[in-house]
Amino acid sequence: MRTQVAIIGAGPAGLLLSQLLHKAGVDCIVLERQSADYVLSRIRAGVIEQVLVDLLDRAGVGARMRREGLVHEGFNIAVEGEVFRIDLRALTGGKTVTVYGQTELTRDLMEAHSARGAAVIYEARDVALHGLESDAPSVTCVKDEAGVHIACDFVAGCDGFHGVSRKSIPESVLQTWERVYPSGWLGVLCDAPPCNEELIYSRHERGFALASMRSHTRSRYYVQVGLDERLEDWPDERFWDEVSRRLGGDVAPRITRAASIEKSIAPLRSFVAEPMRHGRLFLAGDAAHIVPPTGAKGLNLAASDVFYLSQALARYYREGASDGLDSYSARALARVWKAERFSWWFTSMTHQFADMDAFSRRMQRVELDYIRSSRAAAAVVAENYVGLPLD
Ligand code: RFL
Ligand code: PHB
């Protein structure tokens, strides 16, 4: 087989890149280790920046999100149960975010692919990248016990944090930065109306909590837990008791304690690998960087990466110019690092960690109080939350 761009991974980064390349007339094949059903069963992000909303429209896959997504003009922060609002629209000159599940967005992208008969090879085992430093790279895998060989011009590594792409870059040329937080998020999805019209991020002495949603009838809640916690120790009632305590007395009575339909623990990590290009391989999304979920930035960063990459590849094939490919890594990383900063900061201000002393805890509270009382401070939070502009 031969294609122009071989894309590893059919998460949001890989599928959106494939869709954008298709619009630009660039040919590609997507290889995914899991089945389509498995990819759709992973419950992850829920908050989409305006930049990504516009990109989905441009890629021709925004219609259902426009119909079913919930536009949020603000979000809330609770400090020991006292809630204040960040008015995104007023503080950013009219910008908002859209609540629409990553699974729904992935489904829309998958449907667009099947509608145009695009090549996605699911359940591709043993994916390996070859000749990345040459002019003739290739990708191999095993599908249904048969070997597959794909010759290509470029490889896009969109295969997430645990994928094979980043590992194909020699350690000597890759610089990495990492912070692993000693906590995770225990998340519950349930069919019940949300406790509030907008999200509530809560800083509480017992630990962080978040009230989020997927629709008017489906809620998503999280509580910060230790990394050694086991799911079987968290029956629904214990989860509801804990999230109620942390969200506070005004919010707790509005929580509908429905049976969980999904429950999982996600670790918290900050990570960046530089550069995001090696020879003919380009990394995008979680393959190159991870943020703790507090800022709701992971999916959105994956999208800005593939926007920059699709532009660079389209220019290469249209005009034969490789300057966009050469500047891709620096351009993407400039936005990535700012989102890393915001996600780290928001996590540090709202979570409780064992090594924090009384002074640090007090600083968290005064920082949040400053945001509550200063329009300038709130505007900084809002500008980052709605997403920094694409350059
Ligand atoms: P993905 O989604 O991990 O997809 C990578 C795909 O590559 C496949 N793969 C391979 N395929 C072939 N060969 C191999 N060797 C392979 N190895 C892996 C995988 O099976 C997979 O299908 O990465 P991508 O596309 O870069 O997308 C990133 C986002 O998924 C991620 O950043 C977000 O989910 C993060 N995130 C959030 N982001 C937001 O912008 N807003 C949010 O509100 C938000 N909330 C969250 C989140 C992530 C969470 N978890 C579980 C980590 C909430 C949570 C709880
Ligand atoms: C979610 O709804 O899953 C969600 C929302 C906001 C975040 C993280 C996750 O910051």
Side-chain angles (χ1 to χ4, degrees):
M1 265 190 250
R2 174 158 179 94
T3 188
Q4 290 174 313
V5 182
I7 299 176
I8 319 298
L15 290 176
L16 182 58
L17 178 62
S18 157
Q19 187 69 13
L20 291 167
L21 290 180
H22 164 69
K23 289 274 165 195
V26 178
D27 182 48
C28 59
I29 295 177
V30 183
L31 292 169
E32 165 61 49
R33 184 172 53 183
Q34 307 287 356
S35 67
D37 284 345
Y38 182 92
V39 171
L40 283 175
S41 73
R42 294 185 301 220
I43 307 295
R44 289 184 172 177
V47 177
I48 296 184
E49 296 172 352
Q50 190 61 46
V51 160
L52 176 49
V53 169
D54 296 342
L55 201 55
L56 292 169
D57 275 341
R58 195 180 313 184
V61 289
R64 191 161 73 96
M65 175 201 51
R66 291 274 181 198
R67 268 197 323 274
E68 297 178 12
L70 308 175
V71 175
H72 282 201
E73 300 186 355
F75 73 93
N76 302 276
I77 299 179
V79 184
E80 303 309 302
E82 237 182 86
V83 182
F84 66 94
R85 180 166 187 264
I86 303 288
D87 188 335
L88 296 172
R89 185 185 278 285
L91 290 163
T92 61
K95 294 187 181 159
T96 57
V97 294
T98 298
V99 170
Y100 190 64
Q102 178 167 330
T103 39
E104 302 309 314
L105 189 155
T106 307
R107 190 187 302 280
D108 295 343
L109 284 163
M110 283 180 177
E111 281 175 7
H113 276 72
S114 28
R116 62 183 165 87
V120 181
I121 303 179
Y122 286 100
E123 299 178 78
R125 283 194 295 112
D126 303 336
V127 172
L129 284 48
H130 313 277
L132 297 172
E133 293 168 26
S134 75
D135 289 341
S138 61
V139 176
T140 54
C141 70
V142 176
K143 170 70 184 170
D144 298 334
E145 309 308 319
V148 177
H149 179 273
I150 302 170
C152 55
D153 300 330
F154 299 103
V155 181
C158 302
D159 48 352
F161 184 66
H162 300 287
V164 67
S165 299
R166 192 181 66 254
K167 292 176 195 141
S168 307
I169 302 178
E171 271 180 31
S172 56
V173 298
L174 205 63
Q175 199 171 357
T176 59
W177 286 264
E178 184 168 43
R179 171 160 300 179
V180 179
Y181 304 83
S183 294
W185 279 17
L186 169 62
V188 158
L189 187 71
C190 67
D191 278 324
C195 63
N196 197 54
E197 278 193 10
E198 295 174 341
L199 272 62
I200 306 174
Y201 291 83
S202 174
R203 185 260 179 214
H204 192 275
E205 292 293 342
R206 295 180 66 90
F208 171 83
L210 170 60
S212 181
M213 67 196 73
R214 291 292 176 273
S215 68
H216 292 305
T217 55
R218 182 165 280 191
S219 303
R220 180 75 164 155
Y221 291 92
Y222 296 97
V223 292
Q224 177 193 358
V225 295
L227 280 179
D228 49 356
E229 292 284 345
R230 296 176 321 162
L231 276 180
E232 48 274 35
D233 295 331
W234 283 90
D236 287 358
E237 273 316 300
R238 181 179 175 204
F239 181 85
W240 294 123
D241 287 345
E242 193 58 35
V243 85
S244 300
R245 272 195 210 109
R246 296 187 193 183
L247 287 169
D250 290 344
V251 179
R254 302 202 304 263
I255 297 175
T256 306
R257 297 181 167 219
S260 63
I261 50 178
E262 196 264 359
K263 196 184 279 173
S264 53
I265 297 180
L268 302 184
R269 182 194 303 270
S270 298
F271 174 86
V272 181
E274 277 191 32
M276 287 169 62
R277 174 198 188 164
H278 178 66
R280 295 216 162 212
L281 168 67
F282 295 87
L283 300 179
D286 279 13
H289 41 75
I290 295 286
V291 285
T294 323
K297 289 286 163 252
L299 169 63
N300 292 294
L301 279 185
S304 54
D305 288 353
V306 300
F307 168 70
Y308 295 139
L309 184 54
S310 65
Q311 271 197 332
L313 287 165
R315 181 165 151 72
Y316 174 84
Y317 284 109
R318 204 176 49 236
E319 297 161 33
S322 53
D323 55 339
L325 295 172
D326 294 339
S327 58
Y328 164 71
S329 175
R331 198 177 173 207
L333 282 165
R335 194 167 193 271
V336 165
W337 272 114
K338 293 185 192 91
E340 288 283 345
R341 185 205 70 81
F342 178 65
S343 306
W344 156 83
W345 172 85
F346 203 12
T347 304
S348 310
M349 286 311 118
T350 51
H351 287 62
Q352 301 301 314
F353 297 116
D355 62 354
M356 282 170 57
D357 57 14
F359 184 80
S360 310
R361 290 179 209 278
R362 193 60 201 259
M363 281 298 123
Q364 282 186 324
R365 295 180 65 157
V366 70
E367 178 111 12
L368 295 171
D369 188 43
Y370 176 50
I371 292 161
R372 186 186 57 74
S373 57
S374 157
R375 186 183 165 92
V380 170
V381 177
E383 176 183 48
N384 282 278
Y385 195 81
V386 299
L388 297 175
L390 296 173
D391 70 20

